Amino acid sequence: MASVSYPFTAVVGMDDMRLSLLLNAVAPGIGGVLVRGEKGTAKSTIVRGLTALLPAMDVLPGCRFSCAPEAPDPGCPDGPHEPGAGVSRPTRLVELPVGASEDRLVGALDIERALSEGVKAFEPGLLAQAHRGILYVDEVNLLHDHLVDHLLDAAAMGASHVEREGVSVRHAARFLLVGTMNPEEGELRPQLLDRFGLTVEVAASRDPEQRVEVVRRRLAFDDDPAGFAARWAEEEAALRERIVAARGLLPQVRLGDDALRQIAATCAAFEVDGMRADIVMARTATALAAWAGRTDVTVDDVRQAALLALPHRRRRNPFDAPGLDQDKLDETLEEFGGDDEPEPDPQGPDDGPGPGGGGGGGGVPPQSQGPDAETGQGSDAETDHGPDQGTDQGAGTEPAAEQPEAAPSPGAGPAPEQAPVKAAEPFRTKALTVPGLGDGAAGRRSRARTEHGRTAGAHRPRGALTKLHLAATVQAAAPHQRVRGRSGPGLVVRRDDLRQAVREGREGNLVLFVVDASGSMAARKRMGAVKGAVLSLLLDAYQRRDKVGLVTFRGRGAELVLPPTSSVDAAAARLEQLPTGGRTPLSAGLLKAHDVLRVERLRDPARRPLLVVVTDGRATGGPEPLRTAARAARLHAAEGTASVVVDCETGPVRLGLAGELARDLGGTAVTLDELRADAIAGLVKDVRTTRRAA
């Protein structure tokens, strides 16, 4: 028995997401939808509900690429096909899992059959299965970059090209692309964000009445899926008819010069790169008019199109918050508006996607939550940093070459906590790498064995053969030709001769920042420069697809401000709020980092860490603070953790404590000036080599 999907029209609220999906169903050329939001917000439920709404499609029997009977693809690998009668089947929803391989996505050649039988056999991938349907990618921001590139190229061109081992295959791949992501787990690169047509933000409602309605409907569906779906059958049928009607009306919609001028002016006003935004806005505004049953595009259509098509395109770096200044948008539209603009339809595009604009709300106010909502506790509360006892005077512990500004007089009580300072402008940093050869997730930092990259060797396949090393295969087969009866030209290749290519590329690492936030870092206004350096390293980590974590130490101990995550913008936000003041418990910071790395090695053994300690090397508080810090540093060295100490010491007299800390860590020290990309090269050295030199 076929499973029953939760009805699309029964979803409570989520108007922007539902409207974006329906506009793409009407005009697939828009380019898909990227849905950003927290977990448990019904993203998957809504997409599956949309699939049930789409009309059935006719396909040629026996064609693995879903060719239309009336106009088969002339380049179909299963063709050539003659136009003829087709068979009807429901529109497909194809889901791309995060761990999918390139072969699973684009298709694979059967290399064993090609070599042993001489047959160029091609097995279609998910892109072929999704042709004329929906391709749903949950957690698209966690996909490997090369998979995202393939995915978005196919979505933009409407075709997939497979080139490997001398065989070229091309097939149609036109689908509605829907990607979802949780921004806390990391952002997509800006150039990939630009490839999605529209974007929407979803969040769980905080209105108790709306949440009650969500739970009531979900429980009713779980108790009797068929009965619940039957109660919404009339609304589903009406919405299905509206999609068909809007598709039929779309070619008749007129996009006037005034609307085009407003679109161009809006994209220019928000400094959007390239022309894709203009094209997407034009297609979206046209689809909005068709959805509203009109043949003219109004200023309201242009405004709604801008709110859906531009927020993700105006991000200049991962720390920019998505969104659009609506006052600026209104001013631009008014400035470039024409006098002959048609009157907006009372049932305009903002009335919601369902019949009559209700969208299955059932009397529930808009902006409510979908059926999968979970009661969350909201974001983690920020730690309340109280004032720390004592000052960083260093008495009896280390020479006091420089003191914090406005040091309190003896007996004045606790050192006041200083307000967070603004980070200096970020800069391009030198590449910090982990020595050796890893096996971690694909990225751009350290050398690793990967499925993609340059060929570095060959071995017998362990499982299915994915990347043939041709030269190694020939070398393995050549000595056995006489025994196999080959006397003339040619080569007899057997399964045992096949060799898997070993590729070497780059991996992403775990970059754990340990930042000194004590009173000594406030001396000579250094904290702004320190935050600028850490912000620069965070930008570098974002570009290299790393996970990041942030440990700070000040006052009486150390704190894990941000557990390891792929969201570097979360790290930047925590860094911006970081206060300073108090003593310098360096050993506590290093021990906290040791605990964090121990847990992360258990969670993800393949992801190698890089420890970045940002400090001047001073240590105060407790008995023998410098010696205690040295022992804590040697714990990291004993485990072979690659490390860099960013030396923040300034002034004419320098103690060189950061250099001593780097030697204890088995790493290297670099000043803030040397961290810049135009400074010295080779910042991170092999841990064993550094240790022997010390």
Side-chain angles (χ1 to χ4, degrees), residues 433-456 502-509 606-608:
T433 60
V434 177
L437 193 64
D439 293 290
R444 294 188 179 87
R445 184 171 296 278
S446 305
R447 294 174 55 224
R449 289 175 287 267
T450 64
E451 292 186 1
H452 300 270
R454 67 181 184 86
T455 302
V502 176
R503 303 292 184 91
E504 183 177 306
R506 293 281 170 177
E507 67 177 359
N509 298 109
R607 189 178 288 269
R608 298 185 296 160

Side-chain angles (χ1 to χ4, degrees), residues 552-566:
T552 64
F553 58 94
R554 56 184 292 274
R556 294 182 296 273
E559 178 187 5
L560 178 60
V561 176
L562 182 71
T565 174
S566 296

Side-chain angles (χ1 to χ4, degrees), residues 27 53 85 112 137 144 160 244 380 409 416 435 445 652:
L53 280 177
E112 295 184 15
V137 188
H144 290 176
S160 175
V244 174
D380 294 334
S409 58
R445 184 171 296 278

Side-chain angles (χ1 to χ4, degrees), residues 318-656:
F319 309 141
D320 289 339
L324 220 57
D325 184 338
Q326 297 196 32
D327 291 337
K328 181 178 179 180
L329 173 61
D330 291 336
E331 291 173 3
T332 303
L333 294 176
E334 183 178 355
E335 179 182 355
F336 290 89
D339 297 330
D340 58 345
E341 196 68 45
E343 289 294 326
D345 192 292
Q347 302 295 326
D350 293 328
D351 291 336
V364 181
Q367 306 302 325
S368 58
Q369 187 50 42
D372 281 342
E374 301 170 357
T375 302
Q377 298 298 323
S379 58
D380 294 334
E382 296 294 337
T383 304
D384 183 12
H385 298 282
D388 294 294
Q389 303 295 325
T391 60
D392 217 5
Q393 299 179 7
T397 59
E398 57 172 281
E402 53 181 340
Q403 295 292 339
E405 291 188 356
S409 58
E417 181 180 279
Q418 301 185 29
V421 299
K422 186 177 180 181
E425 282 296 316
F427 51 84
R428 190 166 64 90
T429 67
K430 294 295 291 184
L432 308 179
T433 60
V434 177
L437 193 64
D439 293 290
R444 294 188 179 87
R445 184 171 296 278
S446 305
R447 294 174 55 224
R449 289 175 287 267
T450 64
E451 292 186 1
H452 300 270
R454 67 181 184 86
T455 302
H459 60 71
R460 291 180 181 273
R462 304 182 185 98
L465 179 68
T466 57
K467 299 291 182 182
L468 177 71
H469 194 299
L470 185 58
T473 299
V474 171
Q475 288 179 344
H480 309 291
Q481 296 306 297
R482 181 171 297 178
V483 176
R484 295 173 184 174
R486 172 64 67 182
S487 58
L491 193 69
V492 177
V493 179
R494 295 180 178 173
R495 184 184 297 272
D496 291 342
D497 302 324
L498 301 178
R499 294 294 181 268
Q500 173 79 32
V502 176
R503 303 292 184 91
E504 183 177 306
R506 293 281 170 177
E507 67 177 359
N509 298 109
L510 167 59
V511 182
L512 182 61
F513 295 93
V514 182
V515 180
D516 185 348
S518 66
S520 67
M521 298 299 289
R524 305 181 191 276
K525 306 295 184 184
R526 286 183 295 174
M527 202 59 199
V530 168
K531 285 188 175 182
V534 178
L535 188 63
S536 304
L537 290 167
L538 284 171
L539 280 167
D540 182 69
Y542 166 77
Q543 294 165 353
R544 298 181 187 277
R545 312 299 286 172
D546 295 315
K547 291 181 69 174
V548 296
L550 179 61
V551 171
T552 64
F553 58 94
R554 56 184 292 274
R556 294 182 296 273
E559 178 187 5
L560 178 60
V561 176
L562 182 71
T565 174
S566 296
S567 179
V568 295
D569 49 342
R574 303 293 173 89
L575 179 71
E576 189 69 25
Q577 301 163 4
L578 184 66
T580 57
R583 294 185 179 274
T584 314
L586 177 57
S587 60
L590 295 173
L591 290 174
K592 174 64 74 173
H594 184 267
D595 291 341
V596 172
L597 294 181
R598 176 179 56 81
V599 173
E600 288 302 309
R601 285 189 178 98
L602 295 175
R603 290 178 176 171
D604 189 358
R607 189 178 288 269
R608 298 185 296 160
L610 172 63
L611 183 68
V612 179
V613 185
V614 185
T615 181
D616 56 8
R618 295 160 65 96
T620 59
E624 299 183 324
L626 285 175
R627 186 171 298 177
T628 304
R631 287 199 294 268
R634 285 193 284 270
L635 287 176
H636 290 280
E639 295 182 353
T641 303
S643 59
V644 176
V645 178
V646 179
D647 185 359
C648 303
E649 191 174 28
T650 58
V653 179
R654 303 196 181 193
L655 305 177

Side-chain angles (χ1 to χ4, degrees), residues 276-315:
R276 184 176 283 114
D278 303 61
I279 297 171
V280 170
M281 272 191 65
R283 290 172 174 166
T284 304
T286 303
L288 282 163
W291 182 249
R294 290 182 273 102
T295 56
D296 287 294
V297 173
T298 68
V299 64
D300 287 339
D301 296 330
V302 175
R303 187 180 192 278
Q304 182 69 47
L307 294 175
L308 295 174
L310 296 188
H312 60 303
R313 292 186 165 90
R314 57 161 296 275
R315 290 170 62 91

Side-chain angles (χ1 to χ4, degrees), residues 36-81:
R36 297 163 47 91
E38 57 198 23
K39 60 183 180 295
T41 48
K43 299 186 291 289
S44 302
T45 298
I46 297 175
V47 175
R48 293 187 179 95
L50 175 68
T51 308
L53 280 177
L54 297 180
M57 54 189 293
D58 292 334
V59 298
L60 282 172
C63 178
R64 298 174 297 168
F65 300 87
S66 302
C67 280
E70 66 279 5
D73 180 9
C76 176
D78 282 354
H81 301 298

Side-chain angles (χ1 to χ4, degrees), residues 86-111:
V87 294
S88 179
R89 66 165 173 78
T91 299
R92 282 178 179 168
L93 172 67
V94 177
E95 299 189 39
L96 175 63
V98 171
S101 65
E102 181 181 353
D103 290 343
R104 184 75 183 99
L105 176 65
V106 303
L109 296 172
D110 192 332
I111 298 175

